[in-house]
Amino acid sequence: GSGSGGVGYGLKGRGVVGNSTFRPDCNNEYGRVVVKIEVNQEGRVINAEPGIKGTTGNSCLFEAAEKTARSFRFNPDSKAPIRQVGFVELNFRPN
C-alpha cells in the first residue's frame, strides 16, 4: 500500500503545501518508516534519510518512503535556517 502519516516534525510550524505518495515494490509489507529530512528556505526537501530511530518497517519500504519524503513541499520561510532539519513519519499498510 501507500504511505501516510505525520509530517514536518521539527520544522517549527512550517505547514505542508503538498506531496505525492509512492508505493513500495513489496506490497504486502507494513510498518512505520521515519525519514530525516532537510528543508531549504523555499520549502523544498533537499535531503531525505529513511530508517531513522523509531522505524518499524523493513528496508523494502525505504525507497518508497524516501521518494515520498522528497516530494513534500513546505511553506517558504526566508528567516528559516538554510538547511532546516525535520522528520517525516510514514505508515505503510498492505493493499
Side-chain angles (χ1 to χ4, degrees):
S2 59
S4 64
V7 298
Y9 301 115
L11 295 178
K12 297 182 183 175
R14 292 176 77 175
V16 175
V17 176
N19 72 288
S20 299
T21 302
F22 293 87
R23 294 176 161 266
D25 290 334
C26 49
N27 287 325
N28 293 324
E29 294 294 328
Y30 63 93
R32 177 181 64 229
V33 179
V34 180
V35 184
K36 177 182 174 183
I37 58 173
E38 292 181 28
V39 179
N40 66 15
Q41 291 176 328
E42 290 78 35
R44 296 191 179 276
V45 175
I46 55 176
N47 192 34
E49 182 183 341
I52 300 303
K53 184 177 179 180
T55 295
T56 61
N58 67 37
S59 61
C60 78
L61 302 175
F62 288 9
E63 182 179 350
E66 181 178 348
K67 285 180 180 179
T68 299
R70 285 183 180 274
S71 77
F72 277 94
R73 298 294 178 259
F74 295 88
N75 288 323
D77 184 351
S78 62
K79 296 179 182 176
I82 293 173
R83 297 176 80 110
Q84 190 173 18
V85 175
F87 297 90
V88 173
E89 180 181 295
L90 298 166
N91 296 302
F92 291 91
R93 292 179 179 83
N95 288 335

